[in-house]
Amino acid sequence: EPGSVWLAGAGPGDPGLLTLLAAKALGEADAIVHDALVGGDILEAANPDALLVDMGKRAGHPSPKQEAINARLVELAREGRRVLRLKGGDPFVFGRGGEECLALAEAEIPFRVVPGVTAGIGGLAYAGIPVTHRGFGTTATFVTGHDKTGGLPADLDWDVLARMPGALVFYMALGTIGTIAERLEAAGKPPMTPVAIVSSASTEAQSVIETNLAHCARDVVRLQAKRPAIVVVGEVVRLRALIGAWQQTTGQNPFPTAVSA
Amino acid sequence: EPGSVWLAGAGPGDPGLLTLLAAKALGEADAIVHDALVGGDILEAANPDALLVDMGKRAGHPSPKQEAINARLVELAREGRRVLRLKGGDPFVFGRGGEECLALAEAEIPFRVVPGVTAGIGGLAYAGIPVTHRGFGTTATFVTGHDKTGGLPADLDWDVLARMPGALVFYMALGTIGTIAERLEAAGKPPMTPVAIVSSASTEAQSVIETNLAHCARDVVRLQAKRPAIVVVGEVVRLRALIGAWQQTTGQNPFPTAVSA
């Protein structure tokens, strides 16, 4: 309905990982407010008559403040548009979607949340890494690599993180990976614990660095890891040798892809 | 290509949360091996000529062993079929997808993994609960509620879990919720910590119980919580009053849904 907002996740990058609901909204919205993590190949599928509003960070310019995004969503909805707020990954996984919902609720704008595939699960899968695997720990822990200060969140207890049995998945952590590795090691995590850094997960530009806690900070610099990146720490990274290699060398496309073909 | 397997997640329930790739595969596969978590409204979209193989649990019958599922996938692929292995949620989030990949790799069957929306993120979103929210902790932790013994995993350190700052999300935990609550309380988690139990998330049968650690075990019995269910422990549950209420009462469908309409 006009005057409402859909807050949808676009997935980690591959347009084929859009949900049916997100794809539908993309084709029907009057205004699409997206961030820098939503790729051009996804926006190509947008309703050609829609107003496209880029709320992403741009080189050399500070990113718009969350309040400005909230205000823009309210404004567009009040103009009677059918608004799609499209975010990379899932809106509720370190995506500040909750804040946008609260702003819409406060402004009495009807909204709906459409979840998406998050990079810390789906992006890793494209790199051949299962975020959980039987025998490799019964948990998966997602952590944001920076908070509002731009540094690591102050509420993180590294002794606790180091003792989680399953994978640790850090979002937006390329700038803080050295500190992450140092603190996990200091908390007793073995230096040889496998680490993977997956850049531009699930896109044609995807690249993966396999390393370990002791060397990951050096390797990020040496191999010039690109943003956006997901950092995963844990034994599940070892499965990439079996799952990722096989996935990549054979049978990538038993079916034609839906959008990107 | 014939003789290959796509291992895809079907999302938490709403057919609109299928990815474009999963929906495409559903329409084109020659054989579809699904589990009990994949709903009939999703299977309705399957290629009418496809062989449907139900590998789910049924009342009164033990569920097929993982080895039997692996063997069936290999067999169908060797018959030259285009096989879709469709699992509820995401194949790598407590879905044993990794084991199926390893079995296929060992048998030299080409495969591809298509991630899906996991219930612990997308299912909670349909209940109005953001799995992360700024100011409510910088982590989200996913835990399987039972391991191969059917009880809680032995490697869980409850002191560690109780000290994670963000939400704790338990999968398949209805049978063990009493023990979970007891151990978290014993480890110092306040008894009034909010808990939500979301059953049949994102389907028409979705129901939500809002309670707390002290009362959740009693409420699961008293209110007859249904399987499948996701249990979430943490302050983010409080946001449901604002996000969920508003979501439910207004603007549910600004766009027609793609599949279920």
Side-chain angles (χ1 to χ4, degrees):
Chain A
E1 291 160 25
S4 66
V5 177
W6 272 25
L7 180 59
D14 182 346
L17 294 182
L18 280 171
T19 63
L20 297 177
L21 284 171
K24 184 100 177 155
L26 195 59
E28 295 182 2
D30 304 317
I32 299 168
V33 181
H34 64 92
D35 59 32
L37 292 173
V38 178
D41 46 357
I42 288 175
L43 295 174
E44 267 174 30
N47 170 11
D49 298 329
L51 173 70
L52 284 185
V53 182
D54 183 355
M55 282 293 193
K57 220 174 264 202
R58 291 170 188 236
H61 294 81
S63 62
K65 292 213 191 314
Q66 188 62 47
E67 292 71 24
I69 298 172
N70 298 349
R72 193 81 169 100
L73 293 176
V74 169
E75 180 189 35
L76 288 165
R78 287 204 173 133
E79 286 170 15
R81 298 180 195 258
R82 299 188 300 171
V83 182
L84 171 63
R85 167 64 170 140
L86 193 61
K87 300 163 88 80
D90 177 89
F92 281 162
V93 179
F94 309 124
R96 309 192 66 177
E99 289 164 82
E100 295 177 11
C101 288
L102 295 180
L104 293 168
E106 200 180 333
E108 304 193 347
I109 308 283
F111 66 88
R112 178 178 178 166
V113 179
V114 179
V117 171
T118 187
I121 298 172
L124 296 186
Y126 270 64
I129 302 168
V131 72
T132 74
H133 191 76
R134 192 165 277 214
F136 286 63
T138 53
T139 63
T141 303
F142 298 82
V143 186
T144 178
H146 64 78
D147 69 358
K148 53 188 114 182
T149 69
L152 280 165
D155 70 349
L156 287 179
D157 182 328
W158 295 92
D159 290 326
V160 162
L161 280 183
R163 286 163 64 198
M164 293 300 291
L168 304 177
V169 182
F170 295 88
Y171 285 66
M172 302 166 286
L174 223 43
T176 49
I177 192 169
T179 315
I180 290 170
E182 209 171 88
R183 301 231 175 130
L184 287 175
E185 281 193 62
K189 200 99 178 159
M192 291 300 117
T193 305
V195 173
I197 297 133
V198 184
S199 295
S200 300
S202 86
T203 72
E204 283 174 15
Q206 175 176 305
S207 64
V208 184
I209 297 172
E210 262 190 77
T211 173
N212 55 44
L213 269 191
H215 298 112
C216 60
R218 186 201 64 185
D219 286 344
V220 158
V221 176
R222 187 172 65 88
L223 300 168
Q224 300 179 292
K226 301 271 189 311
R227 292 191 163 75
I230 289 285
V231 174
V232 53
V233 178
E235 297 299 321
V236 290
V237 171
R238 296 193 198 280
L239 293 165
R240 182 165 186 255
L242 291 159
I243 294 176
W246 189 255
Q247 257 200 127
Q248 285 177 340
T249 51
T250 55
Q252 271 287 27
N253 283 295
F255 304 96
T257 60
V259 164
S260 58
Chain B
E1 291 161 25
S4 66
V5 177
W6 272 26
L7 181 58
D14 182 345
L17 293 182
L18 279 171
T19 62
L20 296 179
L21 284 171
K24 184 101 178 154
L26 196 59
E28 296 182 1
D30 304 316
I32 298 168
V33 181
H34 64 92
D35 59 32
L37 292 173
V38 178
D41 44 0
I42 288 176
L43 295 174
E44 266 173 30
N47 170 10
D49 298 329
L51 174 70
L52 284 184
V53 182
D54 182 355
M55 280 295 192
K57 222 174 263 202
R58 291 166 187 241
H61 294 82
S63 61
K65 292 212 191 313
Q66 189 60 47
E67 292 71 24
I69 297 172
N70 298 350
R72 193 82 168 101
L73 293 176
V74 169
E75 180 188 34
L76 288 165
R78 288 205 172 134
E79 286 169 15
R81 297 180 196 259
R82 297 191 300 171
V83 182
L84 172 63
R85 168 64 171 141
L86 193 62
K87 300 164 87 83
D90 177 89
F92 281 161
V93 179
F94 308 126
R96 308 193 66 175
E99 290 164 81
E100 295 177 11
C101 288
L102 295 180
L104 293 169
E106 200 181 333
E108 305 193 345
I109 308 282
F111 65 88
R112 178 177 178 166
V113 179
V114 179
V117 172
T118 188
I121 299 171
L124 296 185
Y126 270 65
I129 301 168
V131 73
T132 74
H133 191 74
R134 194 166 273 215
F136 286 65
T138 53
T139 63
T141 304
F142 297 81
V143 186
T144 178
H146 65 77
D147 69 357
K148 51 188 114 183
T149 68
L152 280 166
D155 70 349
L156 288 179
D157 181 328
W158 295 91
D159 291 326
V160 163
L161 280 182
R163 285 164 64 200
M164 292 301 291
L168 304 175
V169 182
F170 295 88
Y171 285 67
M172 300 166 289
L174 224 44
T176 48
I177 193 170
T179 314
I180 289 170
E182 209 170 88
R183 301 232 175 129
L184 287 176
E185 281 192 63
K189 200 98 179 158
M192 289 302 117
T193 305
V195 172
I197 297 132
V198 185
S199 296
S200 301
S202 86
T203 71
E204 283 175 15
Q206 174 177 304
S207 64
V208 184
I209 298 172
E210 262 190 78
T211 172
N212 55 43
L213 269 190
H215 297 112
C216 60
R218 184 201 66 185
D219 286 344
V220 158
V221 176
R222 188 172 62 88
L223 300 168
Q224 300 180 296
K226 299 272 189 311
R227 290 188 166 76
I230 289 285
V231 174
V232 54
V233 178
E235 297 299 321
V236 290
V237 171
R238 295 194 199 279
L239 294 166
R240 182 166 186 255
L242 292 159
I243 295 176
W246 189 256
Q247 256 201 128
Q248 284 177 340
T249 50
T250 55
Q252 271 288 27
N253 283 295
F255 304 95
T257 60
V259 165
S260 57

